[in-house]
Amino acid sequence: MKETTHKFSRFHLSESANIVTNNVPGERSKELLELQKQIEGAVVSYPKNMPFAIKRAKGAIIEDVDGNQFIDLFAGCGVVNVGHCNEEVLSYVKAQQEELIHALDFPTENKMRAIQKILKNLPSAVQNDYKVSFGGPTGSDAVEAAIKLAKIKTGRDGIIAFSGGYHGMTSAALAVTADTAFRKRLTSLIPNVHFTPFSYQYRCPSNDDELACKNYAIDRLKFLLENKHSGIAKPAAIIVESIQGEGGNIPPVAGFLNEIVEVAHRNDVLVIFDEIQSGFFRTGEFLACMNYGVMPDIITLSKGLGGVGFPISALVYKKEIEAWGSGAHIGTFRANQVSLAAANGAFDFIEKYDVKSHTKEMGAYLMDGLIKLSEKYPFIGDVRGKGLMIGVELVKDKFTKEPNPELVKKLRASCLQRGLLFEVGGHYDNVLRIVPPLTITPNMIDNALSIINESFEAILSDVKTEENDTVLEAF
């Protein structure tokens, strides 16, 4: 598929990595990293594993202050879906900045256009069944609002969430996040949250049987909701990522989301789909759940909705569950007018350039390349995903599936030196989480795959050298 020029080529700084320093980080990056360590709070995380300082970015290329250019398979944690500093989206932003920036929740033409675009991109049969509400500027706030609305509507308190799920770092959002490492020093969050297994096929007790994997997870959910001896009172809602993100880019087994909704509604429980990372065309469809032909009661949106990185979050929910009144959920910066303009620009860009089809095509192309690598390297246990939300799980042995987080760390470090960025996640921190800008080109994918392959080869070469040195030392 390799081409010299693609319709999206002009939206990137380049289409390949270019490392000009002897090592990453370079000298100026080192200075800024040291300054950050001295004057910024210790909660900083990303530069700890990807140590460099950013100067500029365009498309799927990030340039650091030393002049190194990296291929970005991270997209600001799945935020810049139409690419860094997309000039067509920025034209909407610049025009809006000259007219109006802050308007609380007053109606504006800009906001009404954004709401109409959100609703227009839902399945046609249900577009008139939903409405949109804005809260604070982060995905966590959208989750807080969704849980609040569910509790107000049902008059109940409990929430069921899923193992491997991630929903944010504020109180309620963190309470429904599965990773206990985030909560180990917190004595209390919201009460009555219960976790149940996600349909994680690669690590299901039923091994590779999709139907058995789905049934296992659904049976556990039914037990919680329908067995009066489960110990759990009827909850207000079930919250689930349509595709798990931080958990390892795990798409559910077909039919799983559909049966969650069916079981929940049979038991008078609301369903929240967290589409903060999997939504806004990340899978090719506007919402990941649309790949499975199912819609919930409430949808949380953020990340990609801000076009090129402007902060915004939204709830999309069925009109029939409207239960709160004026001021029941507010935020000074809800639906910032510049962020709304960026959303409008991103929607129009996606339609103009048929980004939906491109995302599906590039996702298939990238998956094919990764699967070929998995056939070459025995420590690639699983390659999975939808569109351009892909997970590559590394293991010590394909038969035992023992996680290999140490290898992932080595791979990320090696790729960084060659000019490739990706995030690490998964239930065991052993998954390459690949979420590039949706405008990535075939050339860029080829270059990224080449860097991954070179890095694996370098790591294996180092291992062989260490083994030989050990043998020599024995003599």
Side-chain angles (χ1 to χ4, degrees):
M1 186 184 282
K2 194 164 185 175
E3 305 173 36
T4 54
T5 303
H6 188 273
K7 67 178 179 180
F8 288 135
S9 296
R10 66 186 178 91
F11 292 102
H12 304 276
L13 278 176
S14 67
E15 291 188 89
S16 62
N18 184 29
I19 301 300
V20 298
T21 57
N22 291 330
N23 292 290
V24 177
E27 293 306 312
R28 182 56 181 154
S29 283
K30 288 179 182 178
E31 293 173 4
L32 291 176
L33 288 165
E34 180 59 30
L35 181 61
Q36 180 182 48
K37 182 179 178 181
Q38 293 174 14
I39 67 175
E40 190 172 351
V43 293
V44 166
S45 61
Y46 294 114
K48 299 291 178 64
N49 297 305
M50 291 182 274
F52 63 95
I54 299 174
K55 178 183 179 181
R56 61 174 179 158
K58 183 178 179 182
I61 296 290
I62 292 176
E63 183 176 292
D64 73 9
V65 292
D66 296 289
N68 298 307
Q69 292 189 349
F70 304 86
I71 298 173
D72 180 14
L73 299 186
F74 181 37
C77 199
V79 168
V80 288
N81 285 10
V82 294
H84 292 278
C85 296
N86 182 307
E87 56 260 42
E88 295 199 13
V89 175
L90 286 177
S91 69
Y92 288 67
V93 169
K94 292 171 183 176
Q96 185 62 42
Q97 285 175 324
E98 294 177 357
E99 185 172 275
L100 179 68
I101 292 174
H102 183 65
L104 294 170
D105 61 356
F106 288 96
T108 65
E109 291 181 349
N110 181 38
K111 186 204 281 187
M112 295 304 106
R113 280 195 295 271
I115 291 175
Q116 289 170 328
K117 290 178 191 295
I118 290 171
L119 295 175
K120 176 188 173 184
N121 279 278
L122 299 179
S124 57
V126 300
Q127 288 175 3
N128 294 326
D129 298 339
Y130 287 81
K131 63 196 313 183
V132 177
S133 181
F134 297 100
T138 71
S140 292
D141 192 83
V143 172
E144 298 278 343
I147 290 173
K148 184 185 293 184
L149 177 58
K151 289 184 175 185
I152 292 171
K153 175 62 178 177
T154 63
R156 297 190 294 269
D157 190 52
I159 304 291
I160 292 177
F162 288 84
S163 57
Y166 178 87
H167 302 284
M169 296 298 285
T170 53
S171 183
L174 183 55
V176 294
T177 291
D179 191 342
T180 56
F182 291 128
R183 304 198 301 265
K184 62 184 178 182
R185 297 177 65 184
L186 299 172
T187 56
S188 65
L189 293 166
I190 66 167
N192 297 327
V193 175
H194 307 279
F195 290 88
T196 192
F198 188 78
S199 68
Y200 180 5
Q201 186 187 346
Y202 184 64
R203 295 194 177 277
C204 275
S206 55
N207 296 320
D208 297 325
D209 188 319
E210 286 194 4
L211 180 61
C213 179
K214 182 199 71 175
N215 290 344
Y216 167 77
I218 290 298
D219 286 345
R220 295 301 301 161
L221 178 63
K222 287 179 180 177
F223 174 81
L224 296 181
L225 290 178
E226 298 177 352
N227 189 317
K228 68 178 182 177
H229 290 281
S230 70
I232 296 174
K234 182 183 290 188
I238 297 168
I239 185 168
V240 60
E241 293 166 278
S242 298
I243 296 177
Q244 284 198 343
E246 299 293 327
N249 288 11
I250 307 169
V253 173
F256 178 65
L257 297 178
N258 312 65
E259 290 202 36
I260 287 176
V261 172
E262 191 276 324
V263 170
H265 286 177
R266 188 170 70 230
N267 288 278
D268 190 31
V269 173
L270 298 177
V271 178
I272 303 164
F273 282 176
D274 184 335
E275 291 271 359
I276 290 167
Q277 187 165 145
S278 62
F280 209 77
F281 307 99
R282 171 58 48 196
T283 65
E285 299 297 336
F286 174 51
L287 303 172
C289 63
M290 291 167 61
N291 291 286
Y292 304 99
V294 60
M295 292 288 288
D297 303 292
I298 305 172
I299 301 155
T300 60
L301 291 173
S302 188
K303 290 190 182 286
L305 182 62
V308 288
F310 286 91
I312 188 172
S313 75
L315 286 190
V316 183
Y317 58 91
K318 287 182 178 177
K319 294 177 180 178
E320 65 194 51
I321 68 165
E322 181 79 276
W324 47 16
S326 177
H329 191 75
I330 60 176
T332 304
F333 296 102
R334 52 186 155 166
N336 175 273
Q337 294 298 310
V338 178
S339 297
L340 289 166
N344 281 321
F347 272 118
D348 289 351
F349 181 88
I350 284 164
E351 184 175 5
K352 177 180 177 180
Y353 292 97
D354 192 15
V355 175
K356 292 172 65 174
S357 296
H358 176 76
T359 298
K360 293 177 182 179
E361 183 181 2
M362 292 300 96
Y365 186 58
L366 180 53
M367 282 279 285
D368 181 64
L370 292 167
I371 289 170
K372 287 177 180 175
L373 287 178
S374 74
E375 293 167 351
K376 179 179 180 181
Y377 297 112
F379 41 75
I380 299 179
D382 192 33
V383 178
R384 57 191 177 240
K386 285 278 187 186
L388 285 169
M389 189 170 183
I390 297 172
V392 181
E393 184 154 355
L394 302 191
V395 295
K396 295 181 180 179
D397 180 89
K398 282 191 176 183
F399 179 74
T400 65
K401 300 183 182 179
E402 182 182 353
N404 199 339
E406 298 84 4
L407 180 57
V408 174
K409 290 179 183 178
K410 290 180 181 179
L411 179 66
R412 177 162 59 180
S414 183
C415 285
L416 177 70
Q417 296 302 319
R418 290 168 170 79
L420 182 68
L421 307 175
F422 60 83
E423 179 58 306
V424 170
H427 290 212
Y428 304 96
D429 297 320
N430 66 319
V431 178
L432 285 69
R433 295 188 56 239
I434 298 176
V435 285
L438 307 183
T439 54
I440 195 167
T441 66
N443 279 343
M444 301 182 87
I445 288 174
D446 288 338
N447 291 329
L449 289 169
S450 178
I451 290 174
I452 293 173
N453 183 60
E454 289 173 12
S455 296
F456 275 138
E457 292 289 353
I459 292 168
L460 289 174
S461 177
D462 288 344
V463 169
K464 289 177 182 178
T465 300
E466 290 174 3
E467 290 175 349
N468 289 338
D469 288 344
T470 300
V471 171
L472 288 172
E473 287 173 6
F475 288 93

